[in-house]
Amino acid sequence: MFVGREAELARLVAARDSTPGGVLVVGEAGIGKSRLVREFLAGVDGLVAEGGADPGGTAYAPFVPVLRRLIREYGADLVPGGGRRGLARLLPELGEVEELPDLGRARLFEEALLLVERAAQRRPLVLVLEDLHWADQASRDLLVFLLRNVMRPGVLFVATSREPLRLPGAEVIRVPPLGRAEVARMLDGVDQELDVIMARSEGNPLFVEALADAGAGAATPATLRELLLAGAERLGPDSHDVLRIAAVAGPRTPHEVLRALAGLDDLALDEALRPVVRARLLLVDGDGYAFRHALIRQAVYDDLLPGERRRLHARCAEAQPELAADHWYAAGDRRRAFDAAWRARRWDRVLDLWDQAEDEDHVLVLELAARDALTEGDAKRAEELATRALDQADDPLRAAHLLELRVAIRDLLGEEGLDDLREAVRLAPSEATLIGALATTLYWNGQDAEARAHAQEALALGDTRSLTTLAALTALDGDLETASSLYAEARAGAPDDDSLLACYASQADVLEAAGEHARAESVAREGIARARRLGLARSRGAHLAANLAEPLTSLGRWKEAREVMAAALALDPPPIHRAWILMVLGTVAVWEGSLAEADDILRLARPLMRGRSRGYDSCLEPDLLECRLAVAQADLERARRVADHVLTEHDLTLSRRYAWPLLVLAARIGRLREAPAGIATTGRVQQAHRATFRAECGGSWAEAVAAWRSVGQPYALGQALVRAAEQDRANARELLREAATIADTLGAEPLRREVEATGATLRIDRTAELALSARELEVLRLVADGLSNKQIAERLFISARTAGVHVSNIMAKLGATSRVEAAAVARRGGLL
């Protein structure tokens, strides 16, 4: 009987009516979490897909029946590639997995998201995940990802757990014990036993029912197991056998499976099941039967004799082929468990049973287990397995490809793979993809001549991905048009989606580095749109979001950049992509003056960018952000510590993007007066940084101003204008006015303070020559109060047209582009 829980049920209904979203139902064992969910589902008008976790279950096990239900209902065509790029890792019926460079986890998450959202287009969905306290970390990661990223209305996740879990965005419903009146309703008039049952059950519905079944007086069983099995003791032999079989088979057993296991015809099975269902040990659940509570199943299972348990597991292995590996393992038949694990591609289980192997390929199994571990989010385990495979590989070609796999794994751990790739090419000197991968890594590490030679060799051998590397190297030579043609050719011949999107990311990156901000923005936006269509918004899409945020930041469109980055971070991207986004976000925060935010971002990003997994600049970019932050904080000691580390520990000649900006900061804080030899200066941006460095070392700030005007980066231009004012007293007023306008337009508080400090030092009143008339001052005060032209006209008894003319003249004199900016400039200049 369902009693009480009206408030909890109402909250579930409310959650259903405000989708998308999630609910976590929390409570102790037996408290009625599942019963509450069942009552809620009875009123759901939509598709319900259910799964659950078991102790020791495999990765993503709670999601397998949920995703399978959606696929069977709507077909695998809802996701690109029919699910064979990601979902096939969990659903073998979709076919062999198409191995891809991202190694599956990102694909799996994105295909699960697409499947859920596109299924919700057909009808509302309620996705139920029971007993999440037993779920593996990979399943919890997938649930968190879905909760964060499902945007389509009509999707509700309902999870149950004995303990609170961190599920961002999910509403938590705690199920409390029943009160005395509710227990009385459950007992339906057994008032003489109410006090005893209430005291012994403490309001736990499962215990209330078990005590009522057993009798609440002195004969009440002393142990929980006896309490839970009290109803089972009164069953006949056939009913008892069916209950035991169900306990071994799993938390839920389909009717056909139970019939096959019991060896009874339909009538006999019905007669055997009826008392079990009447005693509410098993509940009818669709076309099968589920235990009313996991504790009941565990009690029945624990009550089995060892021999009885092994025999039942062996029977279940025959009837449940998808679970045969676990059943044979529990039955003690290691040979059959091995065979079943092999058929099910349970590679970790295969390794556990390797003493049963005959002619199987141990190196191959280690490799496959490594890929599975990475899909489950355990990169450390994946690295360990890949290394074990390498230690045992005696074929050079196989060892070469295992080295390539380990490079991809270590890349996600922030570790450099250049040595592994060199060794791989040595072992397999004719493998085009390995040579191409080495070329890309050499390019990332600033070894351009060797990178070009390997890229050309790989291309000649048929590796079209090397066109992207050659295009990037051509851009470094300053030939952007030829590079653009090579990028177009690379996209046309891309062998897979990941290579296609990597090409977009590379082109956007080199265009931004060259100062072609508008073109970089256009390429990045096109790439993001392709990533969304291909179901790769979380991985390559997030990478491209960083490529888009950079030119937007350079162009001074910081609000747009923040919106792009917030949307990408909400997708929970892979660590290295998250790091690149955070680097841009930290720069915006420093330039806006949000220094505490920038400090927090730096602490998040640094651990994600350890090593040089994505090239030499990946270890310099956090140093640049920290040095910028320290200078903005006026923390000279911290700035010098970072600059000294860069100058002594890094070879800046290998840096494409960050050598000159770091040298500028080092010069600003007095750490050097001459640039190291061999620093590359490619493109307008690097030339502007070099001009700034020379100005910091005593050169012309006018040259730096001209360089930044050419590039079109307003913040850098504003900084150069302030320093130029110090050097050119005759034109200082105009230089500071322009810098102030830039600061106001951008919302750059540190730049505004620099303008004011320099103006005070030079004793320049930037408003002295403005000569606003008395009437203009009146109008200015009303503008600052937020009045419109019409309101100003009414207040001053003039026409609205005349008021508009005054406002236009005021804005021109103040160099302001908006009414708000005019008021701000006037306040700083003492006019208000």
Side-chain angles (χ1 to χ4, degrees):
M1 177 186 296
F2 183 76
V3 300
R5 315 299 191 213
E6 288 85 0
E8 292 79 13
L9 185 59
R11 290 176 66 186
L12 278 169
V13 171
R16 179 198 64 195
D17 295 338
S18 59
T19 57
V23 174
L24 177 65
V25 181
V26 178
E28 66 184 34
I31 202 66
K33 303 182 295 295
S34 297
R35 184 70 183 86
L36 170 64
V37 172
R38 299 264 79 75
E39 189 71 15
F40 164 68
L41 293 177
V44 167
D45 180 17
L47 179 65
V48 176
E50 301 179 68
D54 279 323
T58 58
Y60 302 111
F63 277 96
V64 169
V66 172
L67 299 174
R68 182 171 284 135
R69 175 80 172 89
L70 298 182
I71 290 289
R72 287 177 177 172
E73 185 75 16
Y74 299 121
D77 291 340
L78 286 182
V79 296
R84 292 184 60 188
R85 297 167 178 172
L87 291 177
R89 296 180 182 277
L90 305 186
L91 306 176
E93 61 265 33
L94 296 179
E96 291 293 325
V97 179
E98 295 179 7
E99 296 296 347
L100 293 162
D102 60 17
L103 299 170
R105 181 177 168 92
R107 282 281 187 177
L108 172 60
F109 280 33
E110 288 164 4
E111 287 189 6
L113 174 62
L114 279 174
L115 179 61
V116 170
E117 290 213 317
R118 291 178 180 178
Q121 288 179 312
R122 313 295 180 86
R123 57 193 292 212
L125 295 180
V126 177
L127 308 180
V128 180
L129 300 166
E130 292 269 23
D131 298 320
L132 215 59
H133 50 276
W134 281 325
D136 59 288
Q137 189 59 51
S139 296
R140 296 186 189 186
D141 290 345
L142 177 54
L143 177 57
V144 169
F145 171 74
L146 293 173
L147 284 168
R148 283 175 170 166
N149 297 301
V150 170
M151 301 298 176
R152 181 168 295 281
V155 181
L156 178 65
F157 294 91
V158 179
T160 67
S161 175
R162 294 181 189 173
E163 58 196 37
L165 302 172
R166 295 185 63 185
L167 297 178
E171 180 183 0
V172 177
I173 298 178
R174 297 181 181 274
V175 183
L178 296 175
R180 181 182 177 85
E182 293 164 332
V183 171
R185 286 169 57 196
M186 283 189 67
L187 296 176
D188 195 22
V190 191
D191 294 336
Q192 65 274 19
E193 298 181 342
L194 177 58
D195 290 340
V196 175
I197 291 178
M198 188 67 195
R200 294 185 69 89
S201 70
E202 297 181 343
N204 185 301
L206 177 66
F207 301 160
V208 169
E209 292 180 342
L211 285 165
D213 289 343
T220 300
T223 67
L224 177 59
R225 181 184 295 178
E226 291 171 342
L227 188 66
L228 295 170
L229 295 178
E233 291 177 353
R234 297 191 289 272
L235 298 175
D238 285 348
S239 298
H240 213 160
D241 284 347
V242 168
L243 185 65
R244 289 168 175 163
I245 291 168
V248 173
R252 183 190 181 281
T253 310
H255 180 85
E256 295 302 319
V257 172
L258 195 56
R259 181 177 61 181
L261 290 169
L264 300 173
D265 61 33
D266 285 334
L267 289 177
L269 180 61
D270 289 344
E271 288 304 311
L273 277 167
R274 201 175 307 281
V276 181
V277 173
R278 189 179 299 123
R280 300 193 71 250
L281 297 166
L282 289 178
L283 303 175
V284 176
D285 184 20
D287 62 349
Y289 305 91
F291 278 88
R292 176 162 54 94
H293 197 281
L295 290 177
I296 297 175
R297 180 195 171 207
Q298 190 63 50
V300 173
Y301 186 87
D302 291 344
D303 202 46
L304 294 169
L305 296 172
E308 185 180 24
R309 188 179 300 160
R310 286 196 297 272
R311 288 192 299 274
L312 286 174
H313 272 296
R315 287 161 64 184
C316 288
E318 299 288 354
Q320 297 174 291
E322 71 277 8
L323 302 175
D326 294 329
H327 282 308
W328 285 124
Y329 191 80
D333 193 329
R334 295 177 65 84
R335 178 68 245 174
R336 288 182 173 177
F338 178 89
D339 292 341
W342 188 279
R343 287 193 299 272
R345 299 188 293 187
R346 296 273 304 283
W347 305 120
D348 255 357
R349 178 69 83 192
V350 168
L351 291 174
D352 289 341
L353 297 161
W354 196 253
D355 60 303
Q356 300 299 311
E358 295 176 356
D359 298 325
E360 287 81 10
D361 187 336
H362 194 224
V363 174
L364 174 63
V365 173
L366 286 167
E367 177 186 349
L368 294 170
R371 292 183 181 277
D372 282 352
L374 200 61
T375 297
E376 294 159 17
D378 191 349
K380 285 291 187 185
R381 170 71 172 157
E383 182 184 30
E384 173 200 336
L385 291 164
T387 300
R388 285 172 57 191
L390 269 167
D391 291 342
Q392 297 177 30
D394 54 9
D395 173 69
L397 181 59
R398 169 174 282 187
H401 284 291
L402 284 168
L403 283 164
E404 183 184 24
L405 170 63
R406 191 169 69 174
V407 167
I409 294 168
R410 288 180 169 176
D411 177 62
L412 298 181
L413 294 170
E415 299 171 12
E416 181 185 1
L418 187 55
D419 290 341
D420 273 358
L421 283 172
R422 286 190 187 279
E423 177 63 10
V425 171
R426 187 189 71 78
L427 292 171
S430 298
E431 284 292 294
T433 58
L434 294 179
I435 299 169
L438 175 59
T440 300
T441 306
L442 288 165
Y443 160 71
W444 286 340
N445 282 277
Q447 299 178 39
D448 298 345
E450 192 179 358
R452 190 186 302 275
H454 282 297
Q456 290 170 340
E457 181 184 0
L459 182 61
L461 291 171
D463 179 37
T464 57
R465 291 178 297 183
S466 293
L467 281 166
T468 296
T469 304
L470 289 171
L473 289 165
T474 303
L476 280 179
D477 294 338
D479 188 353
L480 291 179
E481 298 315 310
T482 300
S484 294
S485 298
L486 288 170
Y487 277 121
E489 187 179 349
R491 285 196 289 273
D496 52 60
D497 296 341
D498 190 72
S499 300
L500 172 67
L501 296 175
C503 181
Y504 277 108
S506 176
Q507 185 176 11
D509 183 66
V510 300
L511 287 170
E512 170 62 15
E516 298 289 335
H517 306 310
R519 291 174 64 186
E521 177 191 354
S522 176
V523 170
R525 288 193 187 279
E526 184 179 343
I528 288 172
R530 292 291 291 269
R532 287 172 179 158
R533 290 197 296 272
L534 293 169
L536 288 170
R538 175 176 177 261
S539 52
R540 283 297 181 188
H543 181 180
L544 283 154
N547 292 127
L548 174 57
E550 272 199 288
L552 291 175
T553 298
S554 295
L555 293 167
R557 291 154 60 185
W558 296 348
K559 182 181 178 183
E560 285 182 70
R562 278 188 174 275
E563 290 170 352
V564 167
M565 291 185 282
L569 290 172
L571 293 174
D572 189 24
I576 193 65
H577 299 155
R578 187 184 320 132
W580 293 336
I581 296 169
L582 289 173
M583 284 292 97
V584 184
L585 185 60
T587 300
V588 171
V590 169
W591 290 349
E592 287 178 338
S594 304
L595 303 187
E597 179 191 9
D599 234 338
D600 290 341
I601 289 169
L602 186 62
R603 280 196 293 270
L604 288 172
R606 265 208 184 277
L608 305 177
M609 298 188 76
R610 61 188 184 278
R612 296 198 298 272
S613 66
R614 289 299 175 99
Y616 196 84
D617 276 338
S618 70
C619 60
L620 285 175
E621 193 172 4
D623 290 335
L624 175 60
L625 176 58
E626 183 170 3
C627 203
R628 281 173 169 162
L629 175 60
V631 169
Q633 293 170 327
D635 187 343
L636 191 59
E637 181 181 350
R638 183 182 185 185
R640 285 176 173 169
R641 185 172 64 249
V642 177
D644 290 345
H645 163 76
V646 168
L647 293 172
T648 58
E649 300 297 326
H650 293 289
D651 182 357
L652 295 181
T653 63
L654 298 178
S655 170
R656 307 187 187 291
R657 299 281 299 274
Y658 307 123
W660 281 117
L662 280 162
L663 290 173
V664 167
L665 291 167
R668 184 169 302 172
I669 60 176
R671 282 337 237 186
L672 80 168
R673 305 303 292 171
E674 186 175 341
I679 305 296
T681 310
T682 303
R684 291 180 299 163
V685 173
Q686 297 304 312
Q687 290 165 3
H689 281 302
R690 183 180 62 184
T692 305
F693 174 82
R694 290 173 173 171
E696 290 284 3
C697 296
S700 166
W701 277 104
E703 291 182 10
V705 167
W708 286 117
R709 282 196 199 283
S710 170
V711 171
Q713 290 190 12
Y715 186 79
L717 173 60
Q719 289 184 308
L721 286 164
V722 173
R723 303 299 298 280
E726 297 172 356
Q727 211 173 50
D728 183 2
R729 292 295 300 271
N731 295 301
R733 190 188 311 280
E734 289 302 319
L735 293 168
L736 289 179
R737 284 182 61 194
E738 184 179 358
T741 299
I742 291 172
D744 290 335
T745 302
L746 296 177
E749 184 62 20
L751 179 58
R752 185 188 66 77
R753 288 197 297 267
E754 285 183 46
V755 170
E756 292 182 348
T758 301
T761 299
L762 299 178
R763 297 183 179 180
I764 293 173
D765 178 5
R766 291 186 294 109
T767 63
E769 83 285 9
L770 297 179
L772 295 182
S773 67
R775 175 61 87 181
E776 285 173 340
L777 286 171
E778 282 185 288
V779 172
L780 177 60
R781 293 187 189 99
L782 296 176
V783 167
D785 289 339
L787 273 65
S788 67
N789 287 353
K790 181 179 179 182
Q791 291 169 324
I792 292 171
E794 291 172 350
R795 186 75 59 88
L796 298 179
F797 302 104
I798 59 178
S799 70
R801 181 181 181 129
T802 301
V805 170
H806 285 312
V807 170
S808 297
N809 290 338
I810 292 167
M811 290 172 63
K813 289 182 178 181
L814 296 180
T817 58
S818 70
R819 301 164 77 94
V820 172
E821 185 184 339
V825 171
R827 286 193 179 95
R828 288 198 299 273
L831 294 175
L832 294 176

